[in-house]
Amino acid sequence: MNQNEKDLAAFQTRVRQMILRFQELKQENQDLYAMVDENEQQIEELKAKLAQQERDYESLKMARMLEITDGDLDGAKERVAGLIRSLNKCIAMLSDEK
């Protein structure tokens, strides 16, 4: 083999190595893009789940506020009814004194 043939063989070997490396990198790139797509999908699912949880929390908070309001309303009604009874007793006692 002369020098040109040796150089040509070395060049061919290097080109084959570069092609193999390119194919490896291309596959790695595809795998990474697949991972990115999967992660983006997971992020979107988590965002949707978070939004739903926030809506559920707001609903529960509103229900709790209504529950407290209803309890206060019942208590207030009882206090007003008690005051009315006391007032009626006072009126009855004043009426008896006349």
Side-chain angles (χ1 to χ4, degrees):
M1 261 192 185
N2 65 20
Q3 185 60 33
N4 285 339
E5 290 174 347
K6 288 180 184 178
D7 289 342
L8 183 59
F11 179 72
Q12 287 175 341
T13 302
R14 295 281 184 212
V15 169
R16 278 193 290 270
Q17 288 174 344
M18 286 177 54
I19 290 171
L20 288 174
R21 182 66 179 143
F22 170 76
Q23 290 172 345
E24 290 171 2
L25 291 173
K26 186 177 175 183
Q27 182 61 44
E28 182 181 354
N29 192 27
Q30 288 174 350
D31 294 343
L32 290 172
Y33 272 109
M35 284 175 54
V36 167
D37 290 341
E38 183 180 320
N39 287 340
E40 285 177 352
Q41 181 181 3
Q42 186 178 15
I43 287 169
E44 291 304 316
E45 290 171 2
L46 290 173
K47 282 181 181 179
K49 187 175 181 179
L50 176 62
Q52 180 63 41
Q53 293 291 333
E54 286 174 346
R55 286 190 298 273
D56 291 347
Y57 173 73
E58 289 300 319
S59 295
L60 288 172
K61 193 165 69 169
M62 182 65 70
R64 180 69 178 146
M65 286 178 11
L66 290 174
E67 181 181 305
I68 290 171
T69 302
D70 289 344
D72 289 346
L73 184 62
D74 291 340
K77 283 181 183 179
E78 290 175 13
R79 285 191 299 273
V80 168
L83 290 172
I84 291 173
R85 281 191 298 274
S86 295
L87 185 60
N88 284 339
K89 286 179 186 177
C90 291
I91 291 172
M93 287 177 15
L94 288 173
S95 296
D96 289 340
E97 289 181 7
K98 289 184 181 181

